[in-house]
Amino acid sequence: MSARIFKGHAGIGPRATGEALVADDNFSARYDLNRIEGVFSRPSHKLYGQNYVGKILVLNIAKGGVATAWMFHEMASRTMAPAALLLNYANPIIAQGAAFGGIPLVDRFDGDITKLIHTGDHVTVDPATGEIRVS
Amino acid sequence: MKLSDREQAMLAGDLGAARQRAIEQQIQVGRFFDAEDFVAVAQAHIMADTESLGEAGVDFLEDLAAQEKTDNQVCIPTITDPRGADFNQFERINHDPAYVALEQRADKAFRALGILMTDTCINYQTILPPVRGEHLAMGDTGVVIYCNSVFAARTNYEGGPAALAAALTGRTPRYGFHLDQNRVGSRLFHTEYQPKDWSQWGALGGFIGRQMGSYYEVPVLTGITDPPSSDDLKHFGAAMASFGSTALFHMVGVTPEAPDLETAFAGRVPAAHSITSKDLDRFFASYAMADDGLDVVVFAAPQLSLFELDRLAGLLENQQIHDEVSLVIATSPENKRAAERLGLDDKIVASGAVLLEGVCFYQMHARELGEANGWTRLMTNSAKLVNIIGGYGYEPVLAPMERCIASAVAGRIVP
């Protein structure tokens, strides 16, 4: 099967490759995650109970508080971070956290990224160009 | 991004490694949001509790604190959001001393950078309110939405490392709510429902926040008949920001950038979405429980103003909290001192309540606190808190302050 390519706005952080974990839901590291165990912990989240460590996490928009800006750095220090984050719309906190923590981040795609990529897809993210390759 | 001579010098490392790293990070964020240049900011406000920082974040701050004074001092007035431990009262709530020790390390490192440890998320009520048009780097969503909306100051959400970067460089990338075009209303809500207390103001804010599709959406509200108080708008804005990642609202006839609908929308007024009491009933119902079990009642998120503490002291006077329920309150250090001086603290504490300072409930390892104290069922008048605390393993109930107090006294959720 040939690779599919999606284009977002130029992002932040280094290139990354991994398996996609996708939901049509939103994201806040403080509100949604048990960061010690590396799983979604908010019962109402569509990825509740799922492990995100090392995954290319694909969600709709950034929600909630400011804590995520520190949390990516802390999660990365324990190698308990996602491999990259793809959102339809990031907010400043996610961008600041990605810049500080070195987590690849791309947003603003030509379609709804939560529909274009499926859980289990093998994905390569190039933040410098905003290009996402699904193979 | 266009850089001034001073910004170029910072980027080249001429002003030290700390400012170089700070402006490098700011340029990444600026490019991400297509900022053309930087804007000077008058204040920075840093969210940096140790639950978010972790050991890695504290190590980072200590490395920064160990650098030469010429390199690491903040260059604009810089204050802090609530911290992760009350150093004087942590034992009252069985807070793990290991977390408190980590918090003390962070506190010491921040002081070494020239940062004023205000430890508050109500700095707009207690420290220095901004003025219209002033550019800021505010680091708490509730502070951002209040400063943007109620004062018509200009700030984006600046997470801890970003607010610290702004403190070191004295500027922030000019994007988002620093720009006129992003401050125009995008959604119109008309409320037939009139909030009567802080839980209802929070619920209304939360209801609107839930419907926001991105950070750049600016809701405009009409229909409020009586001018709200600062505390009303504090709960309204904090909940909207928490549920919606929203940084600015306009309330027509109330907030300064919305003298009328046409101005709020720069002429293009969309159709209004009506909010009725049924919507708010459903909102409250989503934070109700099938049984009346109760473990802890919390007043926090945002920290309480002096007027809220006064109200609470009046309700708690000559009351005793039930043995099997805890009542935890969080305010700022300034308001704690004032409450002591004015005799409010005595009335609150005599009931068995714990009045913490410089912290917020969800910013001090709420999961571990819950486990240490056996707290699962939580009752509060803060819509912001009910939104956050579910992720920490709690079952939150939203109710007015009076009902929360009556329940804390009864030892069960009372109708």
Side-chain angles (χ1 to χ4, degrees):
Chain A
M1 201 173 89
S2 63
R4 292 177 296 142
I5 292 172
F6 306 114
K7 189 83 172 68
H9 187 282
I12 286 173
R15 273 173 72 99
T17 298
E19 188 184 309
L21 178 62
V22 186
D24 175 17
D25 204 336
N26 303 318
F27 182 76
S28 158
R30 183 177 325 249
Y31 297 5
D32 296 331
L33 308 182
N34 179 334
R35 302 182 308 283
I36 303 301
E37 293 176 14
V39 295
F40 279 81
S41 59
R42 174 153 50 176
S44 59
H45 200 282
K46 287 181 182 162
L47 294 179
Y48 177 67
Q50 300 264 358
N51 187 307
Y52 56 77
V53 177
K55 299 281 172 61
I56 307 284
L57 196 50
V58 184
L59 291 162
N60 185 24
I61 65 173
K63 281 262 183 180
V66 296
T68 303
W70 288 115
M71 285 175 175
F72 282 151
H73 175 258
E74 193 279 330
M75 289 152 71
S77 79
R78 294 181 290 115
T79 58
M80 289 293 278
L85 189 61
L86 308 182
L87 298 172
N88 281 321
Y89 294 99
N91 70 3
I93 297 304
I94 299 285
Q96 294 155 7
F100 183 65
I103 303 287
L105 167 71
V106 180
D107 79 339
R108 285 163 284 174
F109 295 92
D110 32 25
D112 180 349
I113 197 65
T114 69
K115 302 279 188 295
L116 297 171
I117 298 179
H118 303 101
T119 292
D121 282 351
H122 185 261
V123 178
T124 299
V125 178
D126 184 6
T129 60
E131 196 172 279
I132 311 301
R133 179 178 289 265
V134 180
S135 55
Chain B
M1 281 177 77
K2 276 184 296 201
L3 300 183
S4 68
D5 290 347
R6 186 170 175 80
E7 288 151 9
Q8 291 280 8
M10 281 193 254
L11 186 60
D14 298 348
L15 294 161
R19 279 179 243 280
Q20 184 181 32
R21 176 173 175 165
I23 204 159
E24 281 172 358
Q25 251 179 65
Q26 290 187 306
I27 289 170
Q28 284 189 63
V29 174
R31 284 183 179 150
F32 187 82
F33 289 111
D34 303 310
E36 291 183 6
D37 61 359
F38 279 93
V39 59
V41 289
Q43 293 184 39
H45 172 251
I46 303 180
M47 199 295 296
D49 60 73
T50 46
E51 188 199 327
S52 324
L53 284 166
E55 186 87 30
V58 176
D59 289 346
F60 167 81
L61 292 175
E62 287 179 333
D63 287 347
L64 190 56
Q67 292 179 24
E68 293 291 329
K69 284 264 180 228
T70 49
D71 292 351
N72 73 2
Q73 297 296 293
V74 297
C75 65
I76 52 173
T78 302
I79 58 178
T80 53
D81 205 35
R83 307 220 44 75
D86 179 332
F87 297 142
N88 301 315
Q89 297 195 88
F90 66 90
E91 288 166 331
R92 291 281 320 267
I93 53 169
N94 301 314
H95 201 173
D96 187 336
Y99 291 136
V100 180
L102 191 62
E103 195 64 50
Q104 278 163 332
R105 284 173 52 197
D107 180 85
K108 189 176 170 202
F110 274 126
R111 287 174 197 271
L113 305 176
I115 291 167
L116 305 168
M117 304 304 289
T118 55
D119 302 346
T120 184
C121 57
I122 51 168
N123 52 305
Y124 50 83
Q125 290 181 327
T126 58
I127 305 294
L128 196 73
V131 297
R132 183 172 186 154
E134 201 172 25
H135 293 275
L136 309 165
M138 290 299 177
D140 173 288
T141 60
V143 173
V144 167
I145 197 168
Y146 198 100
C147 290
N148 274 332
S149 310
V150 182
F151 293 114
R154 297 184 169 216
T155 177
N156 285 311
Y157 285 181
E158 298 275 7
L164 179 57
L168 289 166
T169 65
R171 58 209 74 214
T172 194
R174 194 195 304 266
Y175 68 93
F177 295 100
H178 294 286
L179 299 170
D180 289 343
Q181 65 263 30
N182 294 327
R183 301 183 66 89
V184 174
S186 59
R187 296 273 296 275
L188 178 58
F189 294 88
H190 177 79
T191 183
E192 291 158 20
Y193 170 88
Q194 304 298 321
K196 292 185 185 61
D197 79 341
W198 295 313
S199 67
Q200 295 182 359
W201 274 104
L204 181 60
F207 176 81
I208 295 171
R210 266 186 186 170
Q211 298 176 63
M212 292 297 104
S214 86
Y215 177 73
Y216 284 102
E217 286 207 88
V218 178
V220 177
L221 184 67
T222 59
I224 294 294
T225 53
D226 296 321
S229 71
S230 171
D231 285 328
D232 294 342
L233 290 176
K234 173 171 87 170
H235 280 277
F236 176 73
M240 187 188 292
S242 178
F243 279 87
S245 186
T246 304
L248 170 65
F249 67 84
H250 299 304
M251 194 177 284
V252 174
V254 174
T255 60
E257 289 171 282
D260 52 61
L261 260 182
E262 286 68 28
T263 308
F265 284 101
R268 298 179 303 277
V269 182
H273 176 96
S274 275
I275 301 173
T276 66
S277 54
K278 276 188 183 157
D279 294 317
L280 274 292
D281 288 347
R282 274 195 290 272
F283 187 94
F284 274 92
S286 66
Y287 298 102
M289 295 294 156
D291 65 82
D292 64 1
L294 180 62
D295 300 316
V296 61
V297 173
V298 178
F299 297 110
Q303 288 176 336
L304 272 64
S305 74
L306 196 58
F307 289 7
E308 287 175 294
L309 289 172
D310 183 44
R311 177 83 166 279
L312 201 52
L315 291 167
L316 285 170
E317 194 169 10
N318 302 320
Q319 297 274 14
Q320 206 56 42
I321 302 306
H322 194 276
D323 284 348
E324 288 171 21
V325 172
S326 302
L327 175 57
V328 180
I329 304 151
T331 191
S332 70
E334 268 66 33
N335 282 352
K336 177 78 168 17
R337 293 294 98 70
E340 287 166 2
R341 193 164 57 78
L342 300 170
L344 305 177
D345 184 69
D346 287 342
K347 291 180 192 169
I348 291 170
V349 171
S351 73
V354 183
L355 177 56
L356 301 174
E357 68 175 84
V359 294
C360 194
F361 189 80
Y362 71 94
Q363 285 176 295
M364 48 179 188
H365 308 94
R367 180 182 303 281
E368 292 77 3
L369 272 186
E371 288 164 4
N373 292 285
W375 294 336
T376 302
R377 183 67 57 76
L378 179 151
M379 197 174 188
T380 180
N381 72 339
S382 163
K384 172 173 178 167
L385 187 61
V386 298
N387 184 42
I388 297 171
I389 211 69
Y392 286 94
Y394 289 78
E395 297 170 355
V397 176
L398 180 64
M401 182 181 269
E402 290 77 0
R403 207 177 133 218
C404 291
I405 298 282
S407 300
V409 170
R412 60 186 173 80
I413 295 172
V414 298

